[in-house]
Amino acid sequence: MAYAVRFHQTGDPSVLRYEKVAVGDPGPGEVRVRHEAVGLNFADTYFRSGLYPSPLPAGMGVEAAGVVESVGAGVTHVAPGDRVTYTGSPLGAYSTERVLPAAHLIRLPDAIGCETAAAMTMRGLTAAYLLRRIARMRNLRAGDTILLHAAAGGVGLIVAQWAKLLGLTVIGTVSTEEKAELARAHGVDHVVFYRRENLPERVRELTDGAGVPVVYDSVGQDTYAASLASLAKRGVLVCFGTASGPVPPIDAVQLALAGSVFVTRPALADYIADSAERDELSAELFGHVASGRISIRTDQRYRLEDAVQAHRDLESGRTTGSSVFVL
């Protein structure tokens, strides 16, 4: 019997239910996958809370890794027995097994296990497009300095390591001494405790008054103003998450007064929708991880039936690195 975490109404973590589910055979263009590990991402809380709308009842989660059990008609790029990972809709990754579109699947190299894949696919591909696609908006080069919020989080630790491979200097924000130590160990050059320090002032001190060309902000509402004030002229604020709530409405005049800066709100789905681009980004990511140039830190492991507690831990800010459900 298969099991899945589902929610029948939106709300706090208590709305999550661990239920028996029926899993059918894959249809044309589909596969049936048996999961070995499932990723826990902050984006999951947006669906559960209703910030991101979804028809109810609904499954939960968009990232997992496992083994292909069967394939439907027309599926040629994966076969039964292949180890695969994926991130993306439809919801339903919080499950022991499921049927989903084959187009989402990425075959895993031998050097990367399913637990590591579940901890890194969404976060790693996010880091990939942030540094290998969006960074081109400001033409980041070796020697430049970036500001990275939530530097001790799952995405933050990958971005910090990748940024160092590109020769960038990283200013990272954290909330605790423990997280500061973790961030430094993964490549962050300068740590700022954003809850007790004046972030724009510290950034200006560290950049000889210039500010940074790019801010990567996954926090949202609580850090938006400080992020904007930390930018150099014609800098780019990349709002790629809303852990503290949505960013406020953007005032075009405010952007001019801040130095003709830019604000973008990207989504991973738009950077991996093209299979060729997704394969290019994932190949670079997997290469860095397999070689040890980027390490994936999994600090929290849960059983699938403990999804309620997992969401509480995530939203409380108690987690570091990546979190996974191990099946």
Side-chain angles (χ1 to χ4, degrees), residues 200-277:
E201 286 185 4
R202 287 288 291 127
V203 169
R204 299 288 170 183
E205 290 172 4
L206 293 166
T207 57
D208 297 323
V212 293
V214 178
V215 176
Y216 292 113
D217 190 338
S218 61
V219 179
Q221 182 176 319
D222 290 353
T223 52
Y224 176 77
S227 293
L228 206 62
S230 298
L231 285 170
K233 292 184 185 301
R234 295 164 62 180
V236 180
L237 170 53
V238 186
C239 299
F240 69 98
T242 53
S244 66
V247 299
I250 295 173
D251 182 345
V253 173
Q254 183 185 34
L255 303 186
L257 296 176
S260 299
V261 300
F262 301 83
V263 176
T264 182
R265 178 52 171 101
L268 172 60
D270 293 320
Y271 287 85
I272 60 173
D274 178 81
S275 60
E277 185 170 28

Side-chain angles (χ1 to χ4, degrees), residues 19-165:
E19 303 174 341
K20 290 182 179 181
V21 294
V23 180
D25 296 324
E30 294 181 329
V31 295
R32 179 169 172 155
V33 176
R34 173 176 49 81
H35 291 152
E36 293 189 1
V38 175
L40 170 63
N41 297 288
F42 214 95
D44 300 343
T45 70
Y46 303 157
F47 289 102
R48 191 213 68 226
S49 68
L51 178 64
Y52 289 176
S54 176
L56 298 176
M60 174 58 62
V62 296
E63 175 185 38
V67 178
V68 175
E69 292 199 320
S70 57
V71 302
V75 176
T76 58
H77 75 290
V78 294
D82 284 349
R83 296 167 58 256
V84 295
T85 186
Y86 67 87
T87 182
S89 58
L91 297 175
Y94 286 22
S95 56
T96 56
E97 53 187 299
R98 68 180 297 201
V99 170
L100 76 159
H104 293 314
L105 299 184
I106 305 169
R107 293 180 64 180
L108 280 175
D110 293 339
I112 297 177
C114 285
E115 183 177 316
T116 299
M120 66 173 267
T121 300
M122 184 177 187
R123 296 169 180 85
L125 287 174
T126 297
Y129 87 75
L130 291 176
L131 289 171
R132 306 305 280 162
R133 294 295 185 270
I134 288 186
R136 295 175 182 172
M137 294 175 63
R138 195 52 168 79
N139 194 25
L140 281 181
R141 300 175 181 176
D144 286 340
T145 299
I146 63 171
L147 173 59
L148 172 65
H149 284 288
V155 173
L157 294 180
I158 299 175
V159 170
Q161 293 176 84
W162 206 326
K164 299 310 294 180
L165 295 176

Side-chain angles (χ1 to χ4, degrees), residues 275-290:
S275 60
E277 185 170 28
R278 183 199 64 194
D279 291 346
E280 181 181 347
L281 291 174
S282 61
E284 187 171 0
L285 169 66
F286 291 165
H288 285 318
V289 173

